Amino acid sequence: MAQIPPNYDESKVPDLILPDPFVSLKGNPILTREDWENFRRPEILRLFEENMYGQVPKDFDDISFSEVTKSQNPYSNTAILKEVDIKVSRKGKTHSMRLNVFIPKSGSVPFPVFLLINYKPADPSGKLVETDFWVVEELVKQGYATASFHAETVAPDDKDKFAEGVIGTLYPEQLDQKDGMRALSAWAWGAMRAMDYFEKESLIDAKRAVLVGHSRAGKAALWASANDTRWAVTIPNESGCGGAALSKRKFGETVQVINTSFPHWFNDNFKAFNGKEELLPMDQHMLVSLIAPRAVYFSSAREDRWADPKGEYLSMKLGSRVYSQIYGKTINFPLDFEELKEPVIQPFAGYHIREGEHDLTLEDWKSYMDFVEMNLGRKDK
Ligand code: GCU
């Protein structure tokens, strides 16, 4: 199929006909928390697994955590550095991923934690500084521990090599399945193993863990949190197509474009929706609904039209209805996208759009800290 140039014209966005999170596939209304959690939520999770992201296998035989000392600690005045090799074994094979963890030297233990899924490759010299992209110093100053892993240590971000990590080593049978694990599911799996570590580390409060990812790693963060309810707060930044943005708007990057450029991110079944977004039995607002009743925050950048900021806001606005309709909480997104100026920081669901381009910046992190403080509180306060 020939590639169609991206649409950036709002008047050309098709009329949105979105599946209703509160009506089951058989057409029954979903009104209670019981029906939602026991029936509709698993149904929606399976729709995403089957048609889009693929499975996130949960089984393995053994997991171990060992501290290694490989890098210099650039923040040694205020934080301790733990470099942790997480080794996971299944059926006699072992995969190892590296987690870099900074924990404040002072403050009250255990510390809430921010995990960043970092899709950028590790610095070949082993340097751990990421400045505005990963604001270790700021987070530590505010009383948070923070950790990150490079996505490539779980699954290489390469269409020919993506299986040369956890997929090929631990779960090779997934490669033969049309709804099998691919790179985004593998990165989500990596975040879960980091969470396994947090649960074992007494300096970290795993019950107050925040999952952050930018762009492709934001897609993985959302999918990780849909699968793993241990995350208290989920923050995908500018995650766009296949992340926060509604697919059926076909604004900016489309399903066909993403499947062509990055065929290793999503499962094989997703390719059937190239140019046919209207046939998808779900859309990304339903991914938001899977996070509830935990807190979720989306962020966009004004010039990042490729990621469809309006589609990201709309999916938050529509998907967060689950908090009021099912969980009886008050959520307010009164403004239209065009009217938004300030970050919407409120209990359970938040959003901001900042000026500028596709990136993860200190300005973004500051709003995340405000949202997290409102939603989780801090022990030392
Ligand atoms: C590409 C891709 C996006 C992705 C982005 C990123 O632009 O098309 O879907 O979010 O890379 O990860 O930075």
Side-chain angles (χ1 to χ4, degrees):
M1 197 192 292
Q3 292 240 350
I4 305 156
N7 173 41
Y8 291 127
D9 181 348
E10 202 54 48
S11 71
K12 298 210 173 103
V13 168
D15 286 341
L16 272 184
I17 304 168
L18 295 176
D20 188 337
F22 309 113
V23 177
S24 76
L25 286 175
K26 285 203 178 127
N28 298 319
I30 303 296
L31 304 169
T32 65
R33 178 168 181 168
E34 210 183 357
D35 278 355
W36 173 260
E37 290 181 355
N38 297 336
F39 179 68
R40 182 60 173 153
R41 187 184 183 282
E43 191 174 77
I44 295 174
L45 189 64
R46 177 66 191 142
L47 287 176
F48 281 107
E49 178 183 85
E50 186 173 5
N51 297 294
M52 195 170 180
Y53 299 103
Q55 301 173 51
V56 186
K58 308 278 186 316
D59 69 300
F60 48 79
D61 300 325
D62 190 50
I63 184 165
S64 67
F65 310 100
S66 49
E67 280 182 39
V68 291
T69 309
K70 297 274 182 209
S71 318
Q72 274 204 324
N73 178 355
Y75 310 104
S76 56
N77 287 339
T78 54
I80 56 167
L81 165 65
K82 291 189 185 223
E83 291 169 280
V84 182
D85 275 349
I86 305 180
K87 290 201 178 71
V88 183
S89 308
R90 181 177 184 255
K91 297 189 174 164
K93 298 265 176 62
T94 300
H95 178 79
S96 183
M97 62 180 274
R98 169 79 46 81
L99 185 69
N100 302 308
V101 190
F102 291 96
I103 303 176
K105 277 187 165 166
S106 62
S108 53
V109 173
F111 298 98
V113 63
F114 278 77
L115 174 72
L116 173 70
I117 305 176
N118 192 342
Y119 73 84
K120 294 187 181 177
D123 186 301
S125 70
K127 263 206 290 188
L128 295 177
V129 190
E130 297 267 350
T131 58
D132 280 11
F133 193 75
W134 183 25
V135 293
V136 175
E137 216 167 355
E138 291 287 331
L139 289 164
V140 165
K141 212 196 293 168
Q142 296 301 323
Y144 297 106
T146 183
S148 101
F149 67 89
H150 289 283
E152 66 192 3
T153 80
V154 181
D157 190 5
D158 181 309
K159 70 177 169 44
D160 300 318
K161 298 196 182 129
F162 73 95
E164 294 175 14
V166 69
I167 306 177
T169 309
L170 298 188
Y171 305 106
E173 67 281 2
Q174 290 283 325
L175 291 165
D176 303 325
Q177 299 175 35
K178 288 198 182 321
D179 71 344
M181 182 185 220
R182 300 293 182 267
L184 288 171
S185 277
W187 301 337
W189 180 96
M192 295 179 197
R193 303 296 71 84
M195 173 57 92
D196 295 342
Y197 168 74
F198 296 156
E199 290 188 326
K200 290 258 152 42
E201 169 55 71
S202 59
L203 295 173
I204 286 179
D205 184 355
K207 297 242 164 348
R208 291 186 297 159
V210 183
L211 181 54
V212 181
H214 168 60
S215 212
R216 65 197 71 187
K219 307 180 211 294
L222 261 173
W223 182 231
S225 188
N227 279 280
D228 183 351
T229 57
R230 293 176 294 175
W231 297 100
V233 186
T234 309
I235 308 181
N237 180 53
E238 299 159 25
S239 58
C241 178
L246 293 171
S247 306
K248 291 176 195 282
R249 276 172 47 79
K250 304 188 193 191
F251 187 100
E253 188 173 29
T254 60
V255 169
Q256 181 190 28
V257 169
I258 204 167
N259 275 333
T260 308
S261 321
F262 306 99
H264 58 295
W265 285 0
F266 301 91
N267 72 19
D268 300 355
N269 289 335
F270 195 45
K271 285 32 177 203
F273 298 97
N274 286 354
K276 296 188 182 143
E277 283 87 344
E278 61 285 354
L279 298 183
L280 279 165
M282 73 287 167
D283 209 334
Q284 301 309 102
H285 62 308
M286 291 158 80
L287 195 55
V288 181
S289 74
L290 296 181
I291 313 290
R294 296 163 293 132
V296 59
Y297 189 92
F298 286 177
S299 42
S300 311
R302 191 81 60 189
E303 288 164 37
D304 184 22
R305 294 187 309 160
W306 184 241
D308 186 14
K310 183 170 178 173
E312 296 183 319
Y313 180 64
L314 284 177
S315 80
M316 171 56 79
K317 202 169 162 151
L318 296 171
S320 62
R321 285 184 185 161
V322 65
Y323 295 91
S324 36
Q325 279 184 230
I326 300 294
Y327 291 97
K329 310 289 181 198
T330 307
I331 299 277
N332 251 325
F333 285 107
L335 298 182
D336 286 339
F337 174 73
E338 293 71 19
E339 301 168 316
L340 285 165
K341 294 213 167 56
E342 299 299 316
V344 183
I345 310 273
Q346 62 183 339
F348 298 103
Y351 176 85
H352 78 239
I353 180 160
R354 62 156 172 78
E355 297 309 313
E357 293 176 355
H358 186 70
D359 199 0
L360 177 56
T361 69
L362 179 58
E363 185 182 340
D364 296 310
W365 284 104
K366 284 190 168 157
S367 295
Y368 303 163
M369 284 188 257
D370 289 345
F371 180 74
V372 167
E373 183 171 344
M374 165 172 286
N375 278 278
L376 298 186
R378 283 202 316 251
K379 263 244 164 102
D380 53 350
K381 283 214 140 185

PDB file of all heavy atoms in Angstrom, residues 119 157 214-217 219 237-242 253 257-258 261-262 265 306-307 358, ligand 1:
ATOM      1  N   TYR A 119      14.876   5.042  26.274  1.00  0.00           N
ATOM      2  CA  TYR A 119      15.062   4.376  24.981  1.00  0.00           C
ATOM      3  C   TYR A 119      16.365   4.796  24.308  1.00  0.00           C
ATOM      4  O   TYR A 119      16.789   4.194  23.323  1.00  0.00           O
ATOM      5  CB  TYR A 119      13.873   4.639  24.038  1.00  0.00           C
ATOM      6  CG  TYR A 119      13.828   6.041  23.496  1.00  0.00           C
ATOM      7  CD1 TYR A 119      14.572   6.390  22.367  1.00  0.00           C
ATOM      8  CD2 TYR A 119      13.070   7.019  24.123  1.00  0.00           C
ATOM      9  CE1 TYR A 119      14.557   7.684  21.886  1.00  0.00           C
ATOM     10  CE2 TYR A 119      13.050   8.309  23.645  1.00  0.00           C
ATOM     11  CZ  TYR A 119      13.795   8.637  22.533  1.00  0.00           C
ATOM     12  OH  TYR A 119      13.796   9.915  22.073  1.00  0.00           O
ATOM     13  N   ASP A 157      16.356  -1.917  19.899  1.00  0.00           N
ATOM     14  CA  ASP A 157      15.358  -1.178  19.119  1.00  0.00           C
ATOM     15  C   ASP A 157      15.743  -1.238  17.646  1.00  0.00           C
ATOM     16  O   ASP A 157      16.167  -0.240  17.066  1.00  0.00           O
ATOM     17  CB  ASP A 157      15.294   0.269  19.633  1.00  0.00           C
ATOM     18  CG  ASP A 157      14.123   1.019  19.035  1.00  0.00           C
ATOM     19  OD1 ASP A 157      13.321   0.404  18.314  1.00  0.00           O
ATOM     20  OD2 ASP A 157      14.020   2.237  19.291  1.00  0.00           O
ATOM     21  N   HIS A 214       9.404   8.510  27.651  1.00  0.00           N
ATOM     22  CA  HIS A 214       9.236   9.534  26.620  1.00  0.00           C
ATOM     23  C   HIS A 214       9.061   8.855  25.267  1.00  0.00           C
ATOM     24  O   HIS A 214       9.813   7.931  24.918  1.00  0.00           O
ATOM     25  CB  HIS A 214      10.469  10.444  26.606  1.00  0.00           C
ATOM     26  CG  HIS A 214      10.544  11.354  25.412  1.00  0.00           C
ATOM     27  ND1 HIS A 214       9.572  12.286  25.137  1.00  0.00           N
ATOM     28  CD2 HIS A 214      11.469  11.463  24.425  1.00  0.00           C
ATOM     29  CE1 HIS A 214       9.906  12.937  24.020  1.00  0.00           C
ATOM     30  NE2 HIS A 214      11.050  12.454  23.571  1.00  0.00           N
ATOM     31  N   SER A 215       8.060   9.297  24.531  1.00  0.00           N
ATOM     32  CA  SER A 215       7.875   8.877  23.149  1.00  0.00           C
ATOM     33  C   SER A 215       7.705   7.362  23.034  1.00  0.00           C
ATOM     34  O   SER A 215       6.804   6.799  23.648  1.00  0.00           O
ATOM     35  CB  SER A 215       9.047   9.383  22.321  1.00  0.00           C
ATOM     36  OG  SER A 215       8.607   9.649  21.022  1.00  0.00           O
ATOM     37  N   ARG A 216       8.606   6.655  22.323  1.00  0.00           N
ATOM     38  CA  ARG A 216       8.411   5.198  22.199  1.00  0.00           C
ATOM     39  C   ARG A 216       8.427   4.538  23.581  1.00  0.00           C
ATOM     40  O   ARG A 216       7.711   3.565  23.818  1.00  0.00           O
ATOM     41  CB  ARG A 216       9.459   4.594  21.257  1.00  0.00           C
ATOM     42  CG  ARG A 216      10.855   4.670  21.729  1.00  0.00           C
ATOM     43  CD  ARG A 216      11.837   4.439  20.589  1.00  0.00           C
ATOM     44  NE  ARG A 216      11.853   5.563  19.655  1.00  0.00           N
ATOM     45  CZ  ARG A 216      12.520   5.586  18.502  1.00  0.00           C
ATOM     46  NH1 ARG A 216      13.251   4.550  18.147  1.00  0.00           N
ATOM     47  NH2 ARG A 216      12.474   6.645  17.720  1.00  0.00           N
ATOM     48  N   ALA A 217       9.223   5.080  24.490  1.00  0.00           N
ATOM     49  CA  ALA A 217       9.248   4.513  25.845  1.00  0.00           C
ATOM     50  C   ALA A 217       7.991   4.908  26.637  1.00  0.00           C
ATOM     51  O   ALA A 217       7.628   4.237  27.603  1.00  0.00           O
ATOM     52  CB  ALA A 217      10.506   4.949  26.587  1.00  0.00           C
ATOM     53  N   LYS A 219       5.028   4.870  25.166  1.00  0.00           N
ATOM     54  CA  LYS A 219       4.093   3.817  24.729  1.00  0.00           C
ATOM     55  C   LYS A 219       4.299   2.585  25.618  1.00  0.00           C
ATOM     56  O   LYS A 219       3.346   1.963  26.099  1.00  0.00           O
ATOM     57  CB  LYS A 219       4.351   3.434  23.260  1.00  0.00           C
ATOM     58  CG  LYS A 219       4.354   4.620  22.262  1.00  0.00           C
ATOM     59  CD  LYS A 219       4.617   4.137  20.828  1.00  0.00           C
ATOM     60  CE  LYS A 219       5.344   5.102  19.904  1.00  0.00           C
ATOM     61  NZ  LYS A 219       4.723   6.323  19.503  1.00  0.00           N
ATOM     62  N   ASN A 237       5.171  10.606  28.202  1.00  0.00           N
ATOM     63  CA  ASN A 237       5.372  11.937  27.622  1.00  0.00           C
ATOM     64  C   ASN A 237       5.398  11.831  26.108  1.00  0.00           C
ATOM     65  O   ASN A 237       6.156  11.022  25.554  1.00  0.00           O
ATOM     66  CB  ASN A 237       6.712  12.515  28.108  1.00  0.00           C
ATOM     67  CG  ASN A 237       6.997  13.892  27.547  1.00  0.00           C
ATOM     68  OD1 ASN A 237       6.169  14.790  27.673  1.00  0.00           O
ATOM     69  ND2 ASN A 237       8.150  14.055  26.922  1.00  0.00           N
ATOM     70  N   GLU A 238       4.573  12.643  25.454  1.00  0.00           N
ATOM     71  CA  GLU A 238       4.601  12.735  23.977  1.00  0.00           C
ATOM     72  C   GLU A 238       4.686  11.347  23.345  1.00  0.00           C
ATOM     73  O   GLU A 238       5.512  11.098  22.471  1.00  0.00           O
ATOM     74  CB  GLU A 238       5.784  13.624  23.548  1.00  0.00           C
ATOM     75  CG  GLU A 238       5.641  15.038  24.104  1.00  0.00           C
ATOM     76  CD  GLU A 238       6.950  15.815  24.166  1.00  0.00           C
ATOM     77  OE1 GLU A 238       7.871  15.507  23.395  1.00  0.00           O
ATOM     78  OE2 GLU A 238       7.048  16.737  24.992  1.00  0.00           O
ATOM     79  N   SER A 239       3.832  10.461  23.812  1.00  0.00           N
ATOM     80  CA  SER A 239       3.911   9.060  23.372  1.00  0.00           C
ATOM     81  C   SER A 239       3.187   8.825  22.054  1.00  0.00           C
ATOM     82  O   SER A 239       3.385   7.791  21.407  1.00  0.00           O
ATOM     83  CB  SER A 239       3.390   8.136  24.465  1.00  0.00           C
ATOM     84  OG  SER A 239       2.064   8.464  24.794  1.00  0.00           O
ATOM     85  N   GLY A 240       2.327   9.758  21.654  1.00  0.00           N
ATOM     86  CA  GLY A 240       1.792   9.792  20.297  1.00  0.00           C
ATOM     87  C   GLY A 240       1.108   8.534  19.818  1.00  0.00           C
ATOM     88  O   GLY A 240       0.437   7.819  20.573  1.00  0.00           O
ATOM     89  N   CYS A 241       1.299   8.254  18.528  1.00  0.00           N
ATOM     90  CA  CYS A 241       0.662   7.112  17.876  1.00  0.00           C
ATOM     91  C   CYS A 241       1.096   5.809  18.559  1.00  0.00           C
ATOM     92  O   CYS A 241       2.280   5.585  18.796  1.00  0.00           O
ATOM     93  CB  CYS A 241       1.080   7.097  16.407  1.00  0.00           C
ATOM     94  SG  CYS A 241       0.408   5.712  15.475  1.00  0.00           S
ATOM     95  N   GLY A 242       0.124   4.986  18.897  1.00  0.00           N
ATOM     96  CA  GLY A 242       0.457   3.735  19.596  1.00  0.00           C
ATOM     97  C   GLY A 242       0.731   3.957  21.071  1.00  0.00           C
ATOM     98  O   GLY A 242       1.141   3.041  21.776  1.00  0.00           O
ATOM     99  N   GLU A 253       1.371  10.944  12.803  1.00  0.00           N
ATOM    100  CA  GLU A 253       1.766   9.554  12.532  1.00  0.00           C
ATOM    101  C   GLU A 253       0.544   8.618  12.566  1.00  0.00           C
ATOM    102  O   GLU A 253      -0.304   8.721  13.450  1.00  0.00           O
ATOM    103  CB  GLU A 253       2.786   9.095  13.581  1.00  0.00           C
ATOM    104  CG  GLU A 253       3.384   7.742  13.261  1.00  0.00           C
ATOM    105  CD  GLU A 253       4.524   7.365  14.209  1.00  0.00           C
ATOM    106  OE1 GLU A 253       4.514   7.803  15.369  1.00  0.00           O
ATOM    107  OE2 GLU A 253       5.427   6.632  13.755  1.00  0.00           O
ATOM    108  N   VAL A 257       2.058   4.092   9.015  1.00  0.00           N
ATOM    109  CA  VAL A 257       3.401   4.674   9.036  1.00  0.00           C
ATOM    110  C   VAL A 257       4.243   4.055  10.153  1.00  0.00           C
ATOM    111  O   VAL A 257       5.395   3.655   9.946  1.00  0.00           O
ATOM    112  CB  VAL A 257       3.307   6.215   9.180  1.00  0.00           C
ATOM    113  CG1 VAL A 257       4.666   6.817   9.468  1.00  0.00           C
ATOM    114  CG2 VAL A 257       2.708   6.826   7.915  1.00  0.00           C
ATOM    115  N   ILE A 258       3.654   3.924  11.321  1.00  0.00           N
ATOM    116  CA  ILE A 258       4.435   3.390  12.456  1.00  0.00           C
ATOM    117  C   ILE A 258       4.768   1.916  12.226  1.00  0.00           C
ATOM    118  O   ILE A 258       5.869   1.455  12.521  1.00  0.00           O
ATOM    119  CB  ILE A 258       3.690   3.625  13.799  1.00  0.00           C
ATOM    120  CG1 ILE A 258       4.666   3.633  14.971  1.00  0.00           C
ATOM    121  CG2 ILE A 258       2.595   2.587  14.077  1.00  0.00           C
ATOM    122  CD1 ILE A 258       4.078   4.170  16.263  1.00  0.00           C
ATOM    123  N   SER A 261       7.673   1.904   9.608  1.00  0.00           N
ATOM    124  CA  SER A 261       8.986   2.351  10.087  1.00  0.00           C
ATOM    125  C   SER A 261       9.502   1.479  11.225  1.00  0.00           C
ATOM    126  O   SER A 261      10.707   1.297  11.371  1.00  0.00           O
ATOM    127  CB  SER A 261       8.927   3.784  10.612  1.00  0.00           C
ATOM    128  OG  SER A 261       8.114   4.594   9.832  1.00  0.00           O
ATOM    129  N   PHE A 262       8.597   0.987  12.062  1.00  0.00           N
ATOM    130  CA  PHE A 262       9.017   0.243  13.260  1.00  0.00           C
ATOM    131  C   PHE A 262       8.232  -1.070  13.358  1.00  0.00           C
ATOM    132  O   PHE A 262       7.438  -1.261  14.285  1.00  0.00           O
ATOM    133  CB  PHE A 262       8.784   1.097  14.522  1.00  0.00           C
ATOM    134  CG  PHE A 262       9.429   2.454  14.454  1.00  0.00           C
ATOM    135  CD1 PHE A 262       8.679   3.580  14.117  1.00  0.00           C
ATOM    136  CD2 PHE A 262      10.784   2.612  14.710  1.00  0.00           C
ATOM    137  CE1 PHE A 262       9.265   4.835  14.041  1.00  0.00           C
ATOM    138  CE2 PHE A 262      11.380   3.869  14.634  1.00  0.00           C
ATOM    139  CZ  PHE A 262      10.627   4.990  14.296  1.00  0.00           C
ATOM    140  N   TRP A 265       7.875  -3.059  16.799  1.00  0.00           N
ATOM    141  CA  TRP A 265       7.312  -2.523  18.051  1.00  0.00           C
ATOM    142  C   TRP A 265       6.031  -3.248  18.468  1.00  0.00           C
ATOM    143  O   TRP A 265       5.842  -3.568  19.625  1.00  0.00           O
ATOM    144  CB  TRP A 265       7.014  -1.021  17.906  1.00  0.00           C
ATOM    145  CG  TRP A 265       8.229  -0.145  17.942  1.00  0.00           C
ATOM    146  CD1 TRP A 265       9.537  -0.537  18.080  1.00  0.00           C
ATOM    147  CD2 TRP A 265       8.255   1.283  17.841  1.00  0.00           C
ATOM    148  NE1 TRP A 265      10.370   0.558  18.077  1.00  0.00           N
ATOM    149  CE2 TRP A 265       9.615   1.683  17.931  1.00  0.00           C
ATOM    150  CE3 TRP A 265       7.275   2.273  17.683  1.00  0.00           C
ATOM    151  CZ2 TRP A 265       9.997   3.030  17.878  1.00  0.00           C
ATOM    152  CZ3 TRP A 265       7.651   3.607  17.629  1.00  0.00           C
ATOM    153  CH2 TRP A 265       9.003   3.983  17.722  1.00  0.00           C
ATOM    154  N   TRP A 306       3.479  15.557  15.081  1.00  0.00           N
ATOM    155  CA  TRP A 306       3.626  14.147  14.689  1.00  0.00           C
ATOM    156  C   TRP A 306       2.932  13.223  15.707  1.00  0.00           C
ATOM    157  O   TRP A 306       2.372  12.194  15.369  1.00  0.00           O
ATOM    158  CB  TRP A 306       5.129  13.840  14.605  1.00  0.00           C
ATOM    159  CG  TRP A 306       5.537  12.491  14.139  1.00  0.00           C
ATOM    160  CD1 TRP A 306       6.258  11.579  14.850  1.00  0.00           C
ATOM    161  CD2 TRP A 306       5.310  11.894  12.855  1.00  0.00           C
ATOM    162  NE1 TRP A 306       6.482  10.453  14.090  1.00  0.00           N
ATOM    163  CE2 TRP A 306       5.903  10.623  12.867  1.00  0.00           C
ATOM    164  CE3 TRP A 306       4.636  12.317  11.701  1.00  0.00           C
ATOM    165  CZ2 TRP A 306       5.872   9.756  11.780  1.00  0.00           C
ATOM    166  CZ3 TRP A 306       4.603  11.450  10.613  1.00  0.00           C
ATOM    167  CH2 TRP A 306       5.212  10.205  10.657  1.00  0.00           C
ATOM    168  N   ALA A 307       3.021  13.618  16.997  1.00  0.00           N
ATOM    169  CA  ALA A 307       2.436  12.809  18.078  1.00  0.00           C
ATOM    170  C   ALA A 307       0.975  13.179  18.359  1.00  0.00           C
ATOM    171  O   ALA A 307       0.354  12.609  19.248  1.00  0.00           O
ATOM    172  CB  ALA A 307       3.262  12.955  19.352  1.00  0.00           C
ATOM    173  N   HIS A 358       9.331  18.099  20.355  1.00  0.00           N
ATOM    174  CA  HIS A 358       9.335  16.738  20.888  1.00  0.00           C
ATOM    175  C   HIS A 358      10.591  16.499  21.737  1.00  0.00           C
ATOM    176  O   HIS A 358      11.696  16.431  21.211  1.00  0.00           O
ATOM    177  CB  HIS A 358       9.329  15.802  19.677  1.00  0.00           C
ATOM    178  CG  HIS A 358       9.188  14.359  20.021  1.00  0.00           C
ATOM    179  ND1 HIS A 358       8.022  13.837  20.507  1.00  0.00           N
ATOM    180  CD2 HIS A 358      10.057  13.328  19.931  1.00  0.00           C
ATOM    181  CE1 HIS A 358       8.180  12.532  20.687  1.00  0.00           C
ATOM    182  NE2 HIS A 358       9.407  12.200  20.352  1.00  0.00           N
TER     183      HIS A 358
HETATM  184  C1  GCU B   1       9.425   8.334  15.868  1.00  0.00           C
HETATM  185  C2  GCU B   1       8.161   7.520  15.865  1.00  0.00           C
HETATM  186  C3  GCU B   1       7.271   7.844  17.072  1.00  0.00           C
HETATM  187  C4  GCU B   1       8.071   7.761  18.341  1.00  0.00           C
HETATM  188  C5  GCU B   1       9.294   8.634  18.232  1.00  0.00           C
HETATM  189  C6  GCU B   1      10.235   8.564  19.423  1.00  0.00           C
HETATM  190  O1  GCU B   1       9.134   9.669  15.591  1.00  0.00           O
HETATM  191  O2  GCU B   1       7.508   7.746  14.652  1.00  0.00           O
HETATM  192  O3  GCU B   1       6.178   6.962  17.140  1.00  0.00           O
HETATM  193  O4  GCU B   1       7.262   8.117  19.442  1.00  0.00           O
HETATM  194  O5  GCU B   1      10.059   8.234  17.107  1.00  0.00           O
HETATM  195  O6  GCU B   1      10.288   7.539  20.087  1.00  0.00           O
HETATM  196  O7  GCU B   1      10.953   9.552  19.651  1.00  0.00           O
END
